[in-house]
Amino acid sequence: CKILRCNSEYVAATLNLRGPDRNAAFCSALRSYSHCTRKTARTCRGDLAYHSAVHGIEDLMIQNNCSKEGPVSPPRPRPPAPNHHQGLESLDICNYEKSFLYKHGQPPSYQHCAAFGDPHIRTFHDDFHTCRVEGSWPLLDNDYLFVQATSSPVAKGSNATVTSKLTIIFKNMKECVDQKVYQAEIDNLPAAFEDGSVNGGERPGGSSLAIREHTPGRHVEIRAEYIGTTIAVRQAGRQLSFSIRAAEEVARAFTEEQDLQLCVGGCPRSQRISRSKCCQGRMAAETARALCKEMLPVEDVYFQSCVFDVATSGDANFTMAAHGALEDARVFLPNAEKLHIFQ
């Protein structure tokens, strides 16, 4: 609902009205305001600010004897670009946050998803599942991004699986970036896309997609400013993990056919396994708990996942997977109160 944009355009148009033509200009601004609200009517039906704006416009038109037909205010001029060689459009269209702020008068909302360890999935809606999901499964499949995780058993004969390969496709966005593919496998975490590039290519917004290596072979971050998204890929022990902070609008940009996305719906019921059945593995549960407690003092789902993974695999490196996922959540989550999930 873009009613805030209508409000701010009306305020800007009437802020400095002076002189004998003030009333005519005021009526023009009200007609523009009315026209703007009509354009948002379908999306703003249930919005209180929208309904109060509509009633307010009617009252002001009556008080100022404004006719409903007549000239409207010219569109508000956009602020000049800091660089005269590039207009504001080309500067901001590939910066999602700036563009959203300009259109809506407020910053965008963000969502967080993660897949780590067994794999454990934290969905965009803060649901938490431990999954079997052997083979390849989509974590994300929307208009902007496709992310696929490939899993294999954590140990011979085990029900538990770990992510052994990640494929991330940044879809072509003609104003900003060429399509780019990033692939990571165990012991191969490149700091470049498949074609060897480290950004979005030759287009004007190419730099709005970039890869940065935090720890060689262990932690890579991909920033996609043009869609308000940051992705972290890590390797801990013999498994990969994936974390994302995505603009809500981007996370929701998919059709009914793209309904299987672990980040959106979690893992299917048939693929979920209980973390309480973990501990007949090679490492006793108490030893696993002690190791995990050192890295994860709060006994939340990250801690429970760590105990499950260490006990199931017998690999103490799995404490790093849960710890890395928690650190990503600390950076990516817009609401710090949602950091810990308790089940």
Side-chain angles (χ1 to χ4, degrees), residues 196 224 231 261 269:
I231 291 172
Q261 300 180 61
R269 208 163 276 281

Side-chain angles (χ1 to χ4, degrees), residues 7-194:
N7 294 353
S8 64
E9 284 181 353
Y10 167 70
V11 169
T14 56
L15 201 58
N16 298 309
L17 289 183
R18 302 275 185 278
D21 297 329
R22 180 192 175 281
N23 202 56
F26 189 69
C27 288
S28 295
L30 279 171
R31 282 190 287 269
S32 293
Y33 193 9
S34 177
H35 180 64
C36 188
T37 57
R38 279 201 300 275
K39 285 200 293 190
T40 67
R42 196 170 59 82
T43 51
C44 292
R45 262 197 313 250
D47 194 295
L48 203 58
Y50 164 75
H51 290 289
S52 72
V54 170
H55 292 305
I57 292 165
E58 283 176 16
D59 291 345
L60 285 166
M61 281 188 143
I62 292 163
Q63 287 167 28
N64 292 275
N65 294 324
C66 297
S67 65
K68 291 192 175 177
E69 300 302 320
V72 294
S73 294
R76 181 166 45 140
R78 297 190 166 213
N83 175 345
H84 296 298
H85 300 297
Q86 272 183 306
L88 187 78
E89 279 296 318
S90 59
L91 275 177
D92 280 1
I93 202 163
C94 299
N95 185 316
Y96 181 87
E97 198 164 291
K98 273 189 190 174
S99 174
F100 190 96
L101 191 61
Y102 185 79
K103 284 182 200 162
H104 303 281
Q106 63 189 45
S109 299
Y110 292 97
Q111 294 183 322
H112 169 60
C113 167
F116 66 96
D118 178 63
H120 312 284
I121 307 288
R122 178 178 185 146
T123 73
F124 283 137
H125 312 294
D126 302 316
D127 294 321
F128 198 91
H129 301 148
T130 295
C131 310
R132 186 176 286 110
V133 294
E134 192 169 345
S136 295
W137 292 73
L139 293 172
L140 280 168
D141 181 9
N142 63 40
D143 294 350
Y144 304 96
L145 277 169
F146 178 78
V147 181
Q148 181 173 274
T150 302
S151 300
S152 46
V154 62
K156 205 172 182 181
S158 171
N159 264 342
T161 56
V162 289
T163 301
S164 52
K165 182 178 179 180
L166 278 165
T167 302
I168 304 169
I169 300 173
F170 295 88
K171 295 181 182 176
N172 179 50
M173 191 166 160
K174 63 181 179 197
E175 307 91 338
C176 299
V177 300
D178 299 319
Q179 176 171 297
K180 293 288 173 181
V181 179
Y182 179 80
Q183 280 205 318
E185 295 185 65
I186 291 171
D187 295 333
N188 181 19
L189 213 68
F193 295 109
E194 261 202 331

